[in-house]
Amino acid sequence: MKTSDLIVLLSTNVEPVNGGRVARTIGISVIAGIAVAIGAVFATLGVRSDISDPNALVYLPVKLLFTLQIVVLTSLCLIRVARPGGERTSPIALVMLPFIVIMMLAGLMLAAAPHGSWDRMLIGDRWLECLISIPTIAIVPFAAVVWTVRRMAPTDLTRAGALAGLVAGGISATAYALHCTDDSLPFVALWYGGTIVFCTLAGAKLGPRLLRW
């Protein structure tokens, strides 16, 4: 068979990739990851004791808005990157928006506060717990998202792995926020943002190995 004949044969009756199926499959894995992460936090750490406090009712939604924005925006990018060649049309810079906003707000809060309170605002009471918990809780959501994305045959494995790590980090931080009582935005920007970035870098490192097909 000539090469031209083979190309014609392979291009006959080719059906387009079902974008809706890709979105649904990734969406299911993300929702499952959120459920597992929240269950793990409630079972091991527990819900924050001051959940009904007026301050908690103000700052907890802000933290959840930050983390859930990461999950939603990154999932939208991952839906594109998960398809072969999809990285060429993925608005990857969009996932940086929540980080930029939280850092700007944190900077404004620090600028308005006396220098003597900066340590408290940045370090809080749970920095070490946050540093350990978010990457640990992210393991199962990361595994679920990677397993799903691998079935889609992505071609940019490093980028796909990074986005999977970013989604998992955002999911984990969302669940951990339901337990953590440190609500300072500088704390959230530093420790939540930093551990989510760590999850992203770990995903980029593991992506070429775990997503190979």
Side-chain angles (χ1 to χ4, degrees):
M1 179 182 292
K2 296 181 180 180
T3 303
S4 57
D5 295 333
L6 178 60
I7 293 174
V8 172
L9 179 63
L10 292 175
S11 61
T12 301
N13 297 325
V14 176
E15 298 181 0
V17 176
N18 188 336
R21 183 180 65 85
V22 174
R24 285 193 301 271
T25 305
I26 292 179
I28 290 171
S29 69
V30 169
I31 292 172
I34 292 174
V36 170
I38 291 176
V41 167
F42 283 6
T44 59
L45 299 174
V47 68
R48 57 186 296 166
S49 56
D50 63 343
I51 190 66
S52 60
D53 185 88
N55 286 333
L57 295 177
V58 171
Y59 288 103
L60 178 58
V62 175
K63 291 199 292 186
L64 293 177
L65 180 62
F66 167 59
T67 58
L68 288 173
Q69 278 184 329
I70 292 173
V71 174
V72 172
L73 294 177
T74 308
S75 297
L76 293 175
C77 289
L78 190 58
I79 289 170
R80 291 178 177 269
V81 173
R83 308 175 193 176
E87 66 277 359
R88 293 191 294 270
T89 61
S90 175
I92 196 70
L94 192 63
V95 302
M96 297 301 299
L97 184 59
F99 293 95
I100 294 171
V101 172
I102 198 70
M103 286 190 293
M104 290 177 60
L105 293 175
L108 291 174
M109 288 191 68
L110 288 174
H115 284 206
S117 63
W118 281 20
D119 286 347
R120 174 68 180 172
M121 295 174 70
L122 287 167
I123 304 302
D125 296 321
R126 299 180 180 272
W127 69 271
L128 182 58
E129 181 184 80
C130 180
L131 184 65
I132 296 172
S133 297
I134 290 180
T136 302
I137 297 167
I139 292 175
V140 172
F142 178 71
V145 173
V146 164
W147 180 79
T148 300
V149 171
R150 183 176 181 178
R151 297 167 57 198
M152 308 300 174
T155 49
D156 190 335
L157 305 186
T158 299
R159 181 176 296 189
L163 291 175
L166 184 54
V167 169
I171 290 172
S172 178
T174 298
Y176 179 72
L178 300 174
H179 162 76
C180 179
T181 55
D182 281 319
D183 293 328
S184 163
L185 292 186
F187 179 92
V188 174
L190 177 61
W191 299 106
Y192 282 57
T195 50
I196 293 172
V197 169
F198 172 79
C199 293
T200 305
L201 296 176
K205 182 70 173 179
L206 295 172
R209 181 182 302 177
L210 299 178
L211 295 172
R212 186 179 298 119
W213 48 279

